[in-house]
């Protein structure tokens, strides 16, 4: 529940500060980019939930090697999906903005916000994919702490980048990316200390379970 709330807060906070610092055109721009973010979140949650279930099942069966392979493959797929989505949406960002309802007045704001948000997809994917895996590893508190670190940083940086410094929608986008990066770095740190499995280099090579 907390993870879902925190993910929603990212967009809510951007909307609040952009509304105060930029106005309705800025709010419209964030809504134009929201479908792209939803696609990225969907892929991240798919990897997270699937790997969490696989990890729990394999540990319950005593198959620690398979469990480790599943976690390592999830990390590899997270990187691949993050880069592919980033490249795809960066290439087609302009037509996608118009597809989702961008107007001439909104379009510059949507492009400024979208370019930065989409560039951060590989980092954001780490958060969405690994949050559930870390919970399944028996560390729900650590998973929650990581999300709260990113959310708190986003709120503080939104105020600085949008209200104090006139960076408008780009400032809100950078605040989101930096918050997600702090979250991701914390999760990467946790990955080196999995409690239930021991990851080896060969486990990261993609293969069917």
């Amino acid at each position: 529940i907390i993870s879902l709330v925190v993910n929603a807060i990212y967009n809510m906070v951007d909307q609040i500060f952009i509304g105060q610092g930029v106005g309705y055109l800025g709010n419209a721009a964030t809504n134009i980019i929201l479908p792209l973010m939803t696609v990225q979140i969907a892929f991240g949650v798919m990897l997270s939930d699937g790997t969490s279930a696989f990890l729990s099942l394999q540990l319950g069966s005593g198959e620690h090697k398979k469990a480790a392979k599943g976690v390592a493959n999830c990390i590899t797929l997270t990187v691949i999906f993050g880069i592919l989505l980033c490249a795809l949406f960066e290439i087609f960002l302009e037509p996608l903005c118009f597809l989702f309802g961008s107007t001439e007045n909104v379009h510059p704001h949507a492009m400024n916000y979208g370019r930065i948000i989409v560039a951060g997809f590989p980092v954001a994917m780490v958060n969405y994919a690994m949050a559930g895996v870390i919970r399944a590893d028996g560390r729900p508190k650590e998973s929650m702490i990581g999300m709260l670190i990113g959310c708190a940083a986003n709120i503080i940086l939104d105020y600085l980048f949008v209200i104090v410094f006139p960076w408008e929608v780009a400032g809100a986008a950078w605040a989101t990316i930096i918050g997600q990066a702090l979250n991701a770095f914390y999760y990467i740190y946790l990955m080196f200390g999995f409690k239930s499995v021991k990851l080896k280099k060969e486990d990261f090579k993609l293969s069917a379970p």
Side-chain angles (χ1 to χ4, degrees), residues 11-32 105-110 113 161-163 165-170 172:
N11 185 258
M12 290 168 57
V13 169
D14 280 357
Q15 293 282 15
I16 291 170
F17 284 104
I18 288 174
Q20 297 296 318
V22 181
Y24 69 93
L25 292 178
N27 287 134
T30 60
N31 286 327
I32 294 296
N105 291 331
V106 174
H107 190 64
H109 297 289
Y113 185 77
F161 293 168
V162 179
I163 304 300
F165 304 111
W167 294 355
E168 299 187 337
V169 292

Side-chain angles (χ1 to χ4, degrees), residues 13-129:
V13 169
D14 280 357
Q15 293 282 15
I16 291 170
F17 284 104
I18 288 174
Q20 297 296 318
V22 181
Y24 69 93
L25 292 178
N27 287 134
T30 60
N31 286 327
I32 294 296
I33 302 302
L34 184 59
L36 306 183
M37 298 172 68
T38 303
V39 171
Q40 174 238 163
I41 292 171
F43 275 97
V45 172
M46 175 188 71
L47 291 171
S48 177
D49 289 354
T51 305
S52 299
F54 183 81
L55 174 62
S56 299
L57 287 169
Q58 297 306 319
L59 291 176
S61 301
E63 297 284 354
H64 290 268
K65 288 185 178 180
K66 285 187 177 181
K69 184 72 173 176
V71 172
N73 271 215
C74 174
I75 295 171
T76 302
L77 285 171
T78 297
V79 174
I80 292 173
F81 280 144
I83 293 173
L84 286 177
L85 289 174
C86 173
L88 183 65
F89 288 151
E90 285 285 359
I91 293 171
F92 297 104
L93 183 61
E94 187 162 11
L96 285 171
C97 285
F98 285 117
L99 178 65
F100 295 133
S102 182
T103 63
E104 289 186 7
N105 291 331
V106 174
H107 190 64
H109 297 289
M111 291 295 292
N112 288 339
Y113 185 77
R115 290 282 185 212
I116 299 169
I117 290 294
V118 169
F121 273 10
V123 172
M125 281 286 292
V126 173
N127 302 332
Y128 298 120

